[in-house]
Amino acid sequence: MKSSDKIFPIVFFVHLAVIIYSIALAQIFYFLLLCVWVAVIFKNKEISFNSYDILFLVFILLRIVTIIASEYPSLSVIAIYREIIFYPYYFIAVYYFRSKGIDGIKTALWVSLFAAIIPSLYAIWSVAQGAVGRGASFSGGYSVFAVHTSFMFAFGLALFVTQKKPKIKLMVTAGLLIYAAGVVSTYTRAMWIAVVLCVLALGIIGYRKTLIAFALVGIAAFSFFSSVHERFLSLLDPMHSSSGRLELWNAGLELVSRHMVLGFGPETLRAIIGDRSRFFDPYINSWHNEILHVTIESGIIAPLLLLTIYGFSFFLLFKLKRPESLENNNGQFEFYFILFTILIIIPSIMFGSIMLSILNGLVLKFVLAFYSFTGEESEILKRRTWRFRS
């Protein structure tokens, strides 16, 4: 095995671990990983792809076209450095999954889960001590941390459900409680909803005792922490507690018809929204809805591509189906990973944007690469290999 082949998984793991710690480190190791991956591809003189990979590539190309055709090119060019250069991570993750298989994927999940423990404890402690109002990691802010920790919760659940060893199951449970508490500390309601959906799904598939345990922890947090109590009650009145999102979405919908084909271009919100003082947050810099976001920036085709990319997960769930016996591990991991991660993705794109994010976007691309890999393993997608001469 050549040196680049040995280095590749190591750099891949290190990159996964640093995502939640520092945006600077995440970018440095991403570019190192990209260089190693390119070296591996050229040494092996081949690259593989399937229809899902091509669909993802088409979305990238559309985003590039809308940068070129932007109404405000000086603003949209920023998307090259904040978005476009990070899309290859999807293909890097796909390559890793294909070369290492399910065991390699589980190893990558363990790396991510262990790495997220310290930032989660830090966020919980910071909020408990009153040092900050909302829990966050060392870089990226509370919103980024909330989505990342929610994904860790989903990863942990997939391993929990398919784990047979009691000691490891107990260890995963402890991690799940820490991630859940980390999400609660961010006071990010969309991610609260995501975690609750995952816990409810866990109860439905047969883990009622675990569901009750999480419910008791939630009730305790609701009862003893007034800030959690107040924030939770705001969910009961979404119209009044929308933080100005309804007004923002209405303003965005009015703009869609003006540029339906290629949109206004990425990173143009500030230029096209006009007077932002009319909104709840006058410093708003996101549409807080991924589908609306890409529609305004890249036209009507972009959200159709995006919904197809996400929607493939539901098709996979239907094809895989839940194994009749929870004792049978064949195909379970793929099913539960997809089930729990899509429950995180849905609230994330309804009230924010993860595809266009740097840190959360990297984790999302990891998840989407798993969907591509699972599609091949289930023989739903056919892989083709392009061989070339260097």
Side-chain angles (χ1 to χ4, degrees):
M1 183 179 289
K2 299 175 182 178
S3 59
S4 57
D5 295 304
K6 294 179 180 179
I7 295 172
F8 174 72
I10 297 173
V11 181
F12 187 80
F13 291 154
V14 173
H15 178 258
L16 276 176
V18 302
I19 288 175
I20 193 59
Y21 284 87
S22 165
I23 188 170
L25 285 175
Q27 292 180 86
I28 290 170
F29 279 97
Y30 166 70
F31 288 116
L32 177 59
L33 178 62
L34 181 62
C35 291
V36 174
W37 175 68
V38 170
V40 170
I41 293 299
F42 274 93
K43 283 186 176 180
N44 294 336
K45 298 181 181 179
E46 66 177 40
I47 188 168
S48 300
F49 56 89
N50 58 40
S51 54
Y52 192 75
D53 302 337
I54 294 173
L55 180 65
F56 192 83
L57 180 60
V58 171
F59 177 79
I60 300 172
L61 294 175
L62 179 58
R63 290 293 288 179
I64 294 173
V65 168
T66 56
I67 292 173
I68 299 170
S70 172
E71 287 284 299
Y72 305 90
S74 61
L75 296 177
S76 293
V77 72
I78 300 172
I80 295 175
Y81 311 103
R82 296 184 59 182
E83 177 190 345
I84 302 301
I85 58 175
F86 295 103
Y87 281 120
Y89 184 71
Y90 164 84
F91 299 100
I92 294 172
V94 166
Y95 178 85
Y96 172 81
F97 292 170
R98 287 170 180 162
S99 60
K100 301 300 180 181
I102 288 295
D103 289 339
I105 293 170
K106 289 183 178 180
T107 301
L109 292 187
W110 281 113
V111 170
S112 296
L113 292 170
F114 278 117
I117 291 290
I118 293 176
S120 299
L121 292 173
Y122 169 78
I124 297 165
W125 178 258
S126 298
V127 173
Q129 293 297 305
V132 295
R134 305 178 75 167
S137 180
F138 309 105
S139 177
Y142 67 84
S143 179
V144 170
F145 176 70
V147 175
H148 186 97
T149 315
S150 297
F151 271 119
M152 294 306 105
F153 190 78
F155 293 175
L157 284 177
L159 291 172
F160 172 84
V161 172
T162 55
Q163 182 56 242
K164 294 181 179 180
K165 297 180 180 179
K167 290 184 178 179
I168 297 180
K169 214 174 186 73
L170 184 62
M171 181 176 66
V172 175
T173 303
L176 289 170
L177 290 171
I178 293 173
Y179 305 137
V183 175
V184 171
S185 76
T186 67
Y187 293 91
T188 305
R189 291 169 295 187
M191 294 300 95
W192 285 9
I193 293 171
V195 169
V196 168
L197 289 175
C198 286
V199 172
L200 290 175
L202 188 68
I204 291 171
I205 63 178
Y207 285 83
R208 293 179 179 82
K209 291 182 179 179
T210 309
L211 169 63
I212 293 171
F214 276 107
L216 291 175
V217 172
I219 291 171
F222 179 82
S223 303
F224 294 107
F225 297 94
S226 59
S227 55
V228 174
H229 178 92
E230 293 170 4
R231 190 72 170 170
F232 179 81
L233 290 179
S234 69
L235 290 170
L236 304 179
D237 189 5
M239 299 297 287
H240 182 264
S241 307
S242 65
S243 301
R245 283 182 174 82
L246 294 178
E247 293 81 0
L248 180 67
W249 294 341
N250 285 332
L253 289 172
E254 291 175 1
L255 292 168
V256 169
S257 60
R258 289 171 50 183
H259 286 278
M260 290 192 68
V261 180
L262 291 177
F264 289 88
E267 304 289 339
T268 54
L269 182 147
R270 295 182 181 181
I272 66 178
I273 201 65
D275 181 16
R276 289 185 289 168
S277 63
R278 55 192 166 128
F279 299 117
F280 176 85
D281 179 6
Y283 302 102
I284 192 79
N285 58 8
S286 170
W287 290 104
H288 286 288
N289 180 285
E290 189 161 275
I291 305 305
L292 178 63
H293 195 137
V294 298
T295 304
I296 293 172
E297 291 189 346
S298 300
I300 198 66
I301 298 175
L304 298 178
L305 290 171
L306 200 56
L307 288 172
T308 304
I309 289 170
Y310 292 141
F312 181 67
S313 60
F314 292 98
F315 181 73
L316 276 176
L317 286 176
F318 175 78
K319 287 293 185 179
L320 292 173
K321 299 180 181 178
R322 186 169 73 91
E324 292 182 0
S325 171
L326 291 175
E327 298 301 321
N328 178 12
N329 202 43
N330 294 329
Q332 279 192 29
F333 177 75
E334 293 93 336
F335 178 90
Y336 290 121
F337 183 94
I338 296 168
L339 172 64
F340 292 126
T341 53
I342 197 62
L343 292 177
I344 303 299
I345 290 173
I346 292 172
S348 298
I349 64 174
M350 286 178 63
F351 302 104
S353 179
I354 48 177
M355 179 68 84
L356 313 181
S357 164
I358 296 177
L359 296 179
N360 289 335
L362 291 170
V363 180
L364 174 66
K365 293 171 184 67
F366 178 93
V367 171
L368 297 180
F370 183 88
Y371 296 169
S372 175
F373 170 80
T374 304
E376 289 182 10
E377 290 293 292
S378 306
E379 298 184 348
I380 298 169
L381 300 174
K382 300 296 182 183
R383 189 201 316 176
R384 297 182 181 276
T385 300
W386 176 47
R387 294 178 174 82
F388 56 94
R389 294 180 179 178
S390 58

